[in-house]
Amino acid sequence: VSYPQLPQADAPSLESWLESLEAELAVLGDGVGVVLCHSLSCLLWFHHCARTTLQQRVERVLLVAPPSPNLPVPAIQAFAPPATLTPAAVAASARSGVRVLASDGDPYCPEGARALFAAPLRLEIDVIAGGGHLSEPDGYGPWPSMLAWCLDPAVRLRGNAD
């Protein structure tokens, strides 16, 4: 398990975060690893996908609570997915697939992750009712179904209240 700390979390920089991500992935090697991205890191993953090579794929990816780049938040807008992002590029980033996990009432994605990300990028999605931003303040510190999914991709993700 690796839990990389992205540089300057309070003042995120797309280029420095991409460098950190790509360094972490280089250590894993091709096709190894389960990647979990939360919030702004989901948008970071989309930038990575637009630059992915066959040597940079992982086994599978879960994008948790991706924020809307349409929010009036400069840090989020700076990470808006690149215009060159395609469903094929996202699919190519992981051998066994990329999936979205979102809440139906995420204040950071008012359009809904299904409409904004899952449908246009042809990604499977699990939606948790009333989960907020699926963060620790929303009751998502320890998360049994998340751990189960990490071990077995056939597990359907559920909210902690379910």
Side-chain angles (χ1 to χ4, degrees):
V1 173
S2 175
Y3 183 67
Q5 298 299 306
L6 296 169
Q8 301 168 339
D10 293 333
S13 158
L14 178 59
E15 284 308 313
S16 66
W17 279 28
L18 274 168
E19 287 174 16
S20 292
L21 172 62
E22 290 168 2
E24 284 288 325
L25 294 175
V27 171
L28 290 176
D30 184 37
V32 177
V34 174
V35 173
L36 304 175
C37 300
H38 180 263
S39 195
L40 192 56
S41 294
C42 298
L43 303 185
L44 173 68
W45 189 259
F46 293 142
H47 283 272
H48 167 71
C49 291
R51 300 164 32 147
T52 293
T53 67
L54 292 179
Q55 291 78 27
Q56 295 173 303
R57 287 187 299 173
V58 296
E59 180 56 35
R60 57 196 157 95
V61 175
L62 184 64
L63 303 170
V64 181
S68 170
N70 302 318
L71 289 174
V73 179
I76 296 173
Q77 291 172 341
F79 279 67
T84 58
L85 184 68
T86 65
V90 176
S93 71
R95 291 182 187 273
S96 298
V98 178
R99 169 178 221 93
V100 176
L101 175 64
S103 168
D104 62 356
D106 187 342
Y108 291 98
C109 193
E111 303 95 328
R114 182 182 310 277
L116 199 56
F117 301 110
L121 294 171
R122 299 184 203 130
L123 300 173
E124 294 212 21
I125 185 170
D126 292 301
V127 178
I128 293 176
H133 193 51
L134 300 174
S135 61
E136 198 166 358
D138 298 310
Y140 291 91
W143 193 345
S145 79
M146 178 66 72
L147 176 58
W149 181 87
C150 287
L151 300 172
D152 178 1
V155 169
R156 294 306 279 193
L157 291 148
R158 301 184 329 242
N160 275 347
D162 295 341

